[in-house]
Coordinates of all heavy atoms in Angstrom, one line a residue:
M1137 N 34.8 0.9 135.3 CA 35.6 1.0 134.1 C 34.8 2.0 133.0 O 33.6 1.9 133.0 CB 35.7 -0.3 133.3 CG 36.7 -1.3 134.2 SD 36.9 -2.8 133.2 CE 35.7 -3.8 134.1
N1138 N 35.6 2.8 132.4 CA 35.1 3.6 131.3 C 35.9 3.7 130.2 O 37.1 3.7 130.3 CB 34.5 5.0 131.9 CG 35.6 5.8 132.4 OD1 36.7 5.8 131.8 ND2 35.5 6.5 133.5
I1139 N 35.4 4.0 129.0 CA 36.1 4.1 127.7 C 36.6 5.5 127.7 O 35.8 6.4 127.7 CB 35.3 3.7 126.6 CG1 34.8 2.2 126.6 CG2 36.0 3.9 125.2 CD1 33.9 1.8 125.5
H1140 N 37.9 5.7 127.6 CA 38.5 7.0 127.4 C 38.5 7.3 125.9 O 38.2 8.5 125.5 CB 39.9 7.0 127.9 CG 40.6 8.3 127.8 ND1 40.2 9.4 128.5 CD2 41.6 8.6 127.0 CE1 41.1 10.4 128.0 NE2 42.0 10.0 127.1
S1141 N 38.9 6.4 125.0 CA 39.0 6.7 123.6 C 38.9 5.3 122.8 O 39.2 4.3 123.4 CB 40.3 7.4 123.2 OG 41.4 6.6 123.5
I1142 N 38.4 5.5 121.5 CA 38.3 4.3 120.7 C 38.6 4.8 119.3 O 38.0 5.8 118.9 CB 37.1 3.5 120.9 CG1 37.0 2.2 120.0 CG2 35.8 4.4 120.6 CD1 36.0 1.2 120.5
N1143 N 39.4 4.0 118.6 CA 39.8 4.4 117.3 C 39.8 3.2 116.4 O 40.3 2.1 116.8 CB 41.1 5.2 117.2 CG 41.1 6.5 118.0 OD1 40.3 7.4 117.7 ND2 42.0 6.6 119.0
H1144 N 39.6 3.4 115.1 CA 39.8 2.4 114.0 C 40.7 2.8 113.0 O 40.7 3.9 112.6 CB 38.4 2.1 113.3 CG 37.4 1.3 114.2 ND1 37.7 0.3 114.9 CD2 36.1 1.3 114.1 CE1 36.6 -0.3 115.3 NE2 35.5 0.4 114.9
E1145 N 41.5 1.8 112.5 CA 42.4 2.1 111.4 C 42.4 0.9 110.4 O 42.5 -0.2 110.8 CB 43.8 2.2 111.9 CG 44.2 3.3 112.8 CD 45.7 3.3 113.2 OE1 46.5 3.0 112.3 OE2 46.0 3.5 114.3
P1146 N 42.1 1.1 109.2 CA 41.9 0.1 108.1 C 43.4 -0.5 108.0 O 44.3 0.2 108.1 CB 41.5 0.8 106.8 CG 41.3 2.2 107.1 CD 41.7 2.5 108.6
I1147 N 43.3 -1.9 107.8 CA 44.5 -2.6 107.6 C 44.7 -2.8 106.1 O 43.9 -3.4 105.6 CB 44.6 -3.9 108.3 CG1 44.6 -3.7 109.8 CG2 45.9 -4.7 108.0 CD1 44.3 -4.9 110.7
E1148 N 45.6 -2.1 105.6 CA 45.8 -2.1 104.1 C 45.8 -3.5 103.4 O 46.5 -4.4 104.0 CB 47.0 -1.3 103.7 CG 47.2 -0.9 102.2 CD 48.3 -0.1 101.9 OE1 48.7 0.9 102.8 OE2 49.0 -0.3 100.9
G1149 N 45.1 -3.7 102.4 CA 45.1 -4.9 101.7 C 44.1 -6.0 102.3 O 44.2 -7.1 101.8
T1150 N 43.5 -5.6 103.4 CA 42.5 -6.6 103.9 C 41.2 -6.0 104.2 O 41.0 -4.7 104.0 CB 43.1 -7.1 105.4 OG1 42.9 -6.1 106.3 CG2 44.4 -7.5 105.3
D1151 N 40.3 -6.7 104.6 CA 38.8 -6.3 105.1 C 38.9 -6.0 106.5 O 37.8 -5.7 107.1 CB 37.9 -7.3 104.8 CG 37.6 -7.4 103.2 OD1 37.8 -6.4 102.5 OD2 37.1 -8.5 102.9
N1152 N 40.0 -6.1 107.2 CA 40.1 -5.9 108.6 C 40.4 -4.5 109.1 O 41.0 -3.8 108.3 CB 41.2 -6.7 109.2 CG 40.8 -8.3 109.2 OD1 39.6 -8.6 109.1 ND2 41.9 -9.1 109.3
V1153 N 40.1 -4.2 110.3 CA 40.4 -2.9 110.8 C 41.1 -3.2 112.2 O 41.0 -4.3 112.9 CB 39.3 -2.0 111.1 CG1 38.7 -1.5 109.9 CG2 38.3 -2.6 112.1
L1154 N 42.1 -2.3 112.5 CA 42.7 -2.4 113.9 C 42.0 -1.4 114.8 O 42.0 -0.1 114.5 CB 44.3 -2.0 113.8 CG 45.0 -1.8 115.0 CD1 45.0 -3.3 115.7 CD2 46.3 -1.2 114.9
T1155 N 41.5 -1.9 115.9 CA 40.7 -1.1 116.8 C 41.7 -0.9 118.0 O 42.2 -1.9 118.6 CB 39.5 -1.7 117.3 OG1 38.7 -1.9 116.1 CG2 38.7 -0.8 118.2
T1156 N 41.8 0.3 118.5 CA 42.7 0.7 119.7 C 41.6 1.4 120.6 O 41.0 2.3 120.3 CB 43.8 1.6 119.3 OG1 44.6 0.9 118.3 CG2 44.6 1.8 120.5
M1157 N 41.6 0.9 121.8 CA 40.8 1.4 122.9 C 41.5 1.6 124.2 O 42.3 0.9 124.6 CB 39.5 0.5 123.0 CG 38.5 1.0 124.0 SD 37.2 -0.1 124.4 CE 37.9 -1.8 124.5
V1158 N 41.3 2.7 124.8 CA 41.9 3.1 126.0 C 40.8 3.0 127.1 O 39.7 3.8 126.9 CB 42.6 4.4 126.0 CG1 43.1 4.8 127.4 CG2 43.7 4.3 125.0
I1159 N 40.9 2.3 128.1 CA 39.8 2.2 129.2 C 40.6 2.6 130.5 O 41.6 2.2 130.8 CB 39.4 0.8 129.4 CG1 38.7 0.4 128.1 CG2 38.5 0.6 130.6 CD1 38.0 -1.1 128.3
H1160 N 39.9 3.5 131.3 CA 40.3 3.9 132.6 C 39.5 3.4 133.7 O 38.4 2.8 133.4 CB 40.3 5.5 132.6 CG 41.4 6.2 131.8 ND1 42.6 6.1 132.0 CD2 41.1 7.0 130.7 CE1 43.3 6.7 131.0 NE2 42.4 7.3 130.2
Q1161 N 39.9 3.4 134.9 CA 39.3 3.0 136.1 C 39.1 1.4 136.0 O 38.1 1.0 136.4 CB 37.9 3.8 136.2 CG 38.1 5.2 136.5 CD 36.8 6.0 136.5 OE1 35.7 5.5 136.3 NE2 36.8 7.2 137.1
V1162 N 40.0 0.8 135.6 CA 40.0 -0.7 135.6 C 40.5 -1.2 137.0 O 41.5 -1.0 137.4 CB 41.0 -1.2 134.6 CG1 41.0 -2.7 134.6 CG2 40.6 -0.7 133.1
S1163 N 39.5 -1.8 137.6 CA 39.8 -2.3 138.9 C 40.5 -3.7 138.9 O 41.2 -4.1 139.8 CB 38.6 -2.4 139.8 OG 37.6 -3.2 139.2
S1164 N 40.2 -4.5 137.9 CA 40.9 -5.8 137.7 C 41.1 -6.0 136.2 O 40.0 -6.2 135.5 CB 39.9 -6.8 138.3 OG 40.3 -8.1 137.9
Q1165 N 42.4 -6.2 135.8 CA 42.7 -6.5 134.4 C 42.2 -7.9 134.0 O 41.9 -8.2 133.0 CB 44.1 -6.4 134.1 CG 45.1 -7.2 134.9 CD 45.6 -6.7 136.2 OE1 45.0 -5.9 136.6 NE2 46.6 -7.2 136.5
C1166 N 42.1 -8.8 135.1 CA 41.5 -10.2 134.8 C 40.0 -10.1 134.4 O 39.7 -10.8 133.4 CB 41.7 -11.0 135.9 SG 43.4 -11.4 136.4
I1167 N 39.3 -9.3 135.1 CA 37.9 -9.2 134.8 C 37.7 -8.4 133.4 O 36.9 -8.9 132.6 CB 37.1 -8.4 135.9 CG1 37.1 -9.2 137.2 CG2 35.7 -8.0 135.3 CD1 36.6 -8.5 138.4
L1168 N 38.6 -7.5 133.1 CA 38.5 -6.8 131.9 C 38.8 -7.7 130.7 O 38.1 -7.8 129.7 CB 39.5 -5.6 131.9 CG 39.7 -4.9 130.5 CD1 38.4 -4.2 130.1 CD2 40.9 -3.9 130.6
A1169 N 39.9 -8.5 130.9 CA 40.3 -9.6 129.8 C 39.0 -10.5 129.6 O 38.7 -10.9 128.5 CB 41.4 -10.4 130.3
R1170 N 38.5 -11.0 130.7 CA 37.3 -12.0 130.5 C 36.1 -11.3 129.8 O 35.5 -11.9 128.9 CB 36.8 -12.5 131.8 CG 35.7 -13.4 131.9 CD 35.6 -14.6 131.1 NE 36.9 -15.4 131.2 CZ 37.3 -16.3 130.3 NH1 36.7 -16.4 129.1 NH2 38.3 -16.9 130.5
L1171 N 35.8 -10.1 130.1 CA 34.7 -9.4 129.5 C 35.0 -9.1 128.0 O 34.1 -9.3 127.1 CB 34.5 -8.0 130.2 CG 34.0 -8.0 131.6 CD1 33.9 -6.6 132.2 CD2 32.6 -8.6 131.6
L1172 N 36.3 -8.8 127.7 CA 36.7 -8.6 126.3 C 36.5 -9.9 125.5 O 36.1 -9.9 124.3 CB 38.0 -7.9 126.2 CG 38.1 -6.6 126.7 CD1 39.7 -6.1 126.7 CD2 37.4 -5.7 125.9
I1173 N 37.0 -11.0 126.0 CA 37.0 -12.3 125.3 C 35.6 -12.7 125.2 O 35.2 -13.2 124.1 CB 37.7 -13.3 126.2 CG1 39.2 -13.1 126.1 CG2 37.4 -14.8 125.7 CD1 40.2 -13.9 127.1
D1174 N 34.6 -12.4 126.2 CA 33.2 -12.7 126.0 C 32.6 -11.9 124.8 O 31.8 -12.5 124.1 CB 32.5 -12.5 127.2 CG 32.7 -13.5 128.4 OD1 33.4 -14.5 128.1 OD2 32.3 -13.2 129.6
V1175 N 33.0 -10.8 124.6 CA 32.4 -9.9 123.6 C 33.1 -10.0 122.3 O 32.5 -10.1 121.2 CB 32.6 -8.3 124.0 CG1 32.2 -7.4 122.9 CG2 31.6 -8.1 125.3
L1176 N 34.5 -10.1 122.3 CA 35.2 -10.1 121.0 C 35.6 -11.5 120.5 O 35.9 -11.7 119.4 CB 36.5 -9.3 121.1 CG 36.4 -7.9 121.5 CD1 37.6 -7.2 121.9 CD2 35.6 -7.0 120.4
G1177 N 35.5 -12.5 121.4 CA 36.0 -13.9 121.0 C 37.3 -14.1 121.4 O 38.0 -13.3 122.1
K1178 N 37.8 -15.3 121.3 CA 39.1 -15.9 121.7 C 40.2 -15.2 121.0 O 40.3 -15.3 119.7 CB 39.2 -17.3 121.6 CG 38.2 -17.9 122.6 CD 38.2 -19.5 122.5 CE 37.2 -20.0 123.5 NZ 37.2 -21.6 123.3
P1179 N 41.2 -14.7 121.7 CA 42.5 -14.1 121.1 C 43.2 -15.3 120.3 O 43.2 -16.5 120.8 CB 43.4 -13.7 122.1 CG 42.4 -13.4 123.3 CD 41.3 -14.4 123.1
G1180 N 43.8 -15.0 119.1 CA 44.4 -16.0 118.3 C 43.5 -16.9 117.5 O 43.9 -17.5 116.6
I1181 N 42.2 -16.8 117.8 CA 41.3 -17.6 116.9 C 40.2 -16.6 116.3 O 40.1 -16.7 115.0 CB 40.5 -18.6 117.9 CG1 41.3 -19.7 118.5 CG2 39.3 -19.3 117.1 CD1 40.9 -20.5 119.5
D1182 N 39.6 -15.8 117.0 CA 38.6 -14.9 116.5 C 39.2 -13.6 116.2 O 38.6 -12.8 115.4 CB 37.5 -14.8 117.5 CG 36.8 -16.0 117.8 OD1 36.5 -16.8 116.9 OD2 36.5 -16.3 118.9
N1183 N 40.3 -13.2 116.9 CA 40.9 -11.9 116.6 C 42.3 -11.9 117.2 O 42.8 -12.9 117.7 CB 40.2 -10.9 117.3 CG 40.0 -11.0 118.8 OD1 41.0 -11.2 119.5 ND2 38.9 -11.1 119.4
D1184 N 43.1 -10.7 117.1 CA 44.3 -10.7 117.6 C 44.4 -9.7 118.8 O 44.9 -8.6 118.7 CB 45.4 -10.2 116.5 CG 45.4 -11.2 115.3 OD1 45.4 -12.3 115.5 OD2 45.5 -10.7 114.1
L1185 N 43.6 -10.0 119.8 CA 43.5 -9.2 121.0 C 44.9 -9.1 121.8 O 45.6 -10.0 121.9 CB 42.6 -9.9 122.0 CG 42.2 -9.1 123.2 CD1 41.5 -7.8 122.9 CD2 41.3 -9.9 124.1
E1186 N 45.2 -7.8 122.0 CA 46.5 -7.4 122.8 C 46.0 -6.4 123.9 O 45.4 -5.4 123.6 CB 47.6 -7.0 121.9 CG 48.8 -6.6 122.7 CD 49.9 -6.3 121.7 OE1 49.8 -6.6 120.5 OE2 50.8 -5.6 122.2
M1187 N 46.4 -6.6 125.1 CA 46.3 -5.7 126.2 C 47.5 -5.2 126.8 O 48.4 -6.0 126.9 CB 45.4 -6.4 127.3 CG 44.1 -6.8 126.9 SD 43.1 -7.8 128.2 CE 43.2 -6.6 129.5
M1188 N 47.6 -4.0 127.0 CA 48.9 -3.3 127.6 C 48.4 -2.3 128.7 O 47.5 -1.5 128.4 CB 49.7 -2.6 126.5 CG 50.2 -3.6 125.5 SD 51.2 -2.7 124.3 CE 49.9 -1.8 123.4
G1189 N 49.0 -2.4 129.8 CA 48.5 -1.3 130.8 C 49.3 -1.6 132.0 O 50.0 -2.5 132.3
T1190 N 48.9 -0.7 133.0 CA 49.2 -0.8 134.4 C 48.3 0.0 135.2 O 47.7 1.0 134.8 CB 50.7 -0.3 134.6 OG1 51.1 -0.6 135.9 CG2 50.9 1.1 134.3
G1191 N 48.1 -0.4 136.5 CA 47.2 0.2 137.3 C 45.8 0.2 136.8 O 45.3 -0.8 136.4
D1192 N 45.1 1.3 136.6 CA 43.8 1.4 136.4 C 43.6 1.9 134.8 O 42.5 2.2 134.3 CB 43.0 2.3 137.2 CG 43.2 3.8 137.2 OD1 44.2 4.2 136.6 OD2 42.5 4.6 137.6
S1193 N 44.6 2.0 134.1 CA 44.6 2.5 132.7 C 45.1 1.4 131.7 O 46.3 1.1 131.9 CB 45.3 3.8 132.6 OG 45.2 4.3 131.2
W1194 N 44.3 0.9 130.8 CA 44.7 -0.1 129.9 C 44.4 0.3 128.5 O 43.3 0.8 128.2 CB 43.9 -1.4 130.2 CG 44.6 -2.0 131.5 CD1 44.4 -1.6 132.8 CD2 45.5 -3.0 131.6 NE1 45.1 -2.3 133.6 CE2 45.8 -3.2 132.9 CE3 46.1 -3.8 130.5 CZ2 46.7 -4.2 133.3 CZ3 47.0 -4.7 131.0 CH2 47.3 -4.9 132.4
T1195 N 45.3 -0.1 127.6 CA 45.1 0.0 126.1 C 44.8 -1.4 125.6 O 45.6 -2.3 125.8 CB 46.3 0.7 125.5 OG1 46.5 1.9 126.0 CG2 46.1 0.8 123.9
I1196 N 43.8 -1.5 124.8 CA 43.5 -2.8 124.2 C 43.5 -2.6 122.7 O 42.9 -1.6 122.1 CB 42.1 -3.3 124.6 CG1 42.0 -3.5 126.2 CG2 41.7 -4.5 123.9 CD1 41.6 -2.4 127.0
M1197 N 44.1 -3.6 122.0 CA 44.0 -3.4 120.6 C 43.7 -4.8 120.0 O 44.0 -5.9 120.5 CB 45.5 -3.1 120.0 CG 46.0 -1.8 120.5 SD 47.6 -1.3 119.8 CE 48.5 -2.6 120.3
W1198 N 42.9 -4.8 118.9 CA 42.5 -6.0 118.2 C 42.1 -5.8 116.9 O 41.8 -4.7 116.5 CB 41.3 -6.7 119.0 CG 39.9 -6.0 119.0 CD1 39.0 -6.3 118.0 CD2 39.5 -5.0 119.7 NE1 37.9 -5.5 118.2 CE2 38.2 -4.6 119.2 CE3 40.0 -4.3 120.9 CZ2 37.4 -3.6 119.9 CZ3 39.2 -3.3 121.4 CH2 38.0 -3.0 120.9
T1199 N 42.1 -6.9 116.0 CA 41.7 -6.8 114.6 C 40.3 -7.5 114.6 O 39.9 -8.4 115.3 CB 42.6 -7.5 113.7 OG1 42.7 -8.9 114.1 CG2 44.0 -6.8 113.7
Q1200 N 39.6 -6.9 113.6 CA 38.1 -7.4 113.5 C 37.8 -7.0 112.0 O 38.0 -5.9 111.6 CB 37.3 -6.8 114.5 CG 35.9 -7.4 114.6 CD 35.0 -6.7 115.6 OE1 35.5 -5.7 116.4 NE2 33.9 -7.2 115.8
P1201 N 37.1 -7.9 111.3 CA 36.8 -7.6 109.9 C 35.5 -6.6 110.0 O 34.7 -6.8 110.8 CB 36.3 -8.9 109.3 CG 36.0 -9.9 110.4 CD 36.9 -9.4 111.6
L1202 N 35.7 -5.6 109.3 CA 34.6 -4.6 108.9 C 33.9 -4.1 110.1 O 32.6 -4.0 110.3 CB 33.5 -5.3 108.0 CG 34.1 -5.9 106.7 CD1 33.0 -6.6 105.9 CD2 34.6 -4.6 105.9
A1203 N 34.6 -3.9 111.3 CA 34.0 -3.3 112.4 C 33.6 -1.9 112.3 O 34.2 -1.1 111.6 CB 35.1 -3.3 113.5
I1204 N 32.6 -1.5 112.9 CA 32.0 -0.2 112.9 C 32.2 0.3 114.3 O 31.8 -0.3 115.3 CB 30.4 -0.2 112.5 CG1 30.3 -0.8 111.1 CG2 29.9 1.2 112.6 CD1 28.7 -1.2 110.9
I1205 N 32.8 1.5 114.3 CA 33.2 2.1 115.6 C 32.0 2.2 116.6 O 32.2 1.9 117.8 CB 33.9 3.4 115.4 CG1 34.7 3.8 116.7 CG2 33.0 4.5 115.1 CD1 35.8 4.8 116.5
E1206 N 30.9 2.6 116.1 CA 29.7 2.7 117.1 C 29.2 1.4 117.6 O 29.0 1.3 118.7 CB 28.6 3.5 116.4 CG 28.8 4.9 116.0 CD 29.6 5.1 114.7 OE1 29.7 4.0 113.9 OE2 30.0 6.2 114.5
K1207 N 29.2 0.3 116.7 CA 28.9 -1.1 117.2 C 29.8 -1.5 118.2 O 29.5 -2.1 119.2 CB 28.8 -1.9 116.0 CG 28.3 -3.3 116.4 CD 28.4 -4.2 115.1 CE 28.2 -5.6 115.6 NZ 28.2 -6.6 114.4
T1208 N 31.2 -1.3 118.0 CA 32.3 -1.7 118.9 C 32.0 -1.0 120.2 O 32.1 -1.7 121.2 CB 33.6 -1.4 118.3 OG1 33.7 -2.1 117.0 CG2 34.7 -2.0 119.2
Q1209 N 31.8 0.3 120.2 CA 31.7 1.0 121.5 C 30.4 0.5 122.3 O 30.6 0.4 123.4 CB 31.6 2.5 121.2 CG 31.7 3.3 122.4 CD 32.0 4.7 122.3 OE1 32.2 5.1 121.1 NE2 32.1 5.5 123.3
V1210 N 29.4 0.3 121.5 CA 28.2 -0.2 122.3 C 28.4 -1.7 122.9 O 28.2 -1.7 124.1 CB 27.0 -0.3 121.3 CG1 25.8 -1.1 121.8 CG2 26.5 1.1 120.9
L1211 N 29.1 -2.5 122.2 CA 29.4 -3.9 122.7 C 30.3 -3.8 123.9 O 30.1 -4.4 125.0 CB 30.1 -4.6 121.7 CG 29.2 -5.2 120.5 CD1 30.0 -6.0 119.5 CD2 28.1 -6.2 121.1
I1212 N 31.4 -2.9 123.9 CA 32.3 -2.8 125.0 C 31.7 -2.1 126.2 O 31.8 -2.6 127.3 CB 33.7 -2.1 124.5 CG1 34.3 -2.9 123.3 CG2 34.5 -1.9 125.7 CD1 34.7 -4.3 123.7
T1213 N 30.9 -1.1 125.9 CA 30.3 -0.4 127.0 C 29.3 -1.3 127.8 O 29.3 -1.3 128.9 CB 29.5 0.8 126.4 OG1 30.5 1.8 125.8 CG2 28.8 1.6 127.5
K1214 N 28.7 -2.0 127.0 CA 27.7 -3.1 127.7 C 28.5 -4.0 128.4 O 28.1 -4.5 129.5 CB 26.9 -3.8 126.5 CG 25.9 -4.8 127.0 CD 25.1 -5.2 125.8 CE 24.1 -6.4 126.4 NZ 23.3 -7.0 125.4
A1215 N 29.6 -4.5 127.8 CA 30.4 -5.5 128.6 C 31.0 -5.0 129.9 O 30.9 -5.8 130.9 CB 31.6 -6.1 127.7
I1216 N 31.4 -3.7 129.9 CA 32.0 -3.3 131.1 C 31.1 -2.7 132.2 O 31.6 -2.2 133.2 CB 33.3 -2.2 130.7 CG1 32.7 -1.1 130.0 CG2 34.3 -3.1 130.0 CD1 33.9 0.0 129.9
S1217 N 29.8 -2.5 131.8 CA 28.9 -1.8 132.7 C 28.3 -2.9 133.7 O 28.5 -3.9 133.6 CB 27.9 -1.1 131.9 OG 27.1 -1.9 131.1

């Protein structure tokens, strides 16, 4: 798995940001989901994690307060390596 792109957008009126990440070469979306939950926390409790994709290309979106793009990339890279 490798990160193709990662972007942050501030959510107006909150301290949260919407992070959108595209990952390629995903061999198992189940493993990807487990890794993301381990790093980001439980969807619906710690964040609003959403995954969309097919085959080996997946787009993942989540909210997180005050996320820094470099920190997020390091965490996800560590999780999928």
Side-chain angles (χ1 to χ4, degrees):
M1137 289 185 262
N1138 63 39
I1139 297 173
H1140 175 71
S1141 65
I1142 186 166
N1143 298 301
H1144 284 322
E1145 294 178 44
I1147 299 173
E1148 191 173 324
T1150 72
D1151 290 335
N1152 290 339
V1153 294
L1154 173 65
T1155 303
T1156 304
M1157 178 175 54
V1158 177
I1159 297 181
H1160 291 296
Q1161 298 176 343
V1162 176
S1163 58
S1164 169
Q1165 65 268 24
C1166 295
I1167 292 172
L1168 175 61
R1170 174 54 53 202
L1171 293 172
L1172 292 172
I1173 290 169
D1174 287 347
V1175 170
L1176 301 172
K1178 294 180 181 177
I1181 296 172
D1182 301 314
N1183 59 55
D1184 298 322
L1185 179 67
E1186 182 176 337
M1187 296 177 56
M1188 297 176 289
T1190 185
D1192 70 347
S1193 184
W1194 285 78
T1195 301
I1196 297 93
M1197 297 183 304
W1198 71 91
T1199 59
Q1200 186 175 8
L1202 304 173
I1204 299 168
I1205 197 163
E1206 292 82 12
K1207 179 181 174 186
T1208 303
Q1209 188 162 2
V1210 166
L1211 287 172
I1212 299 301
T1213 301
K1214 184 177 178 181
I1216 63 176
S1217 60

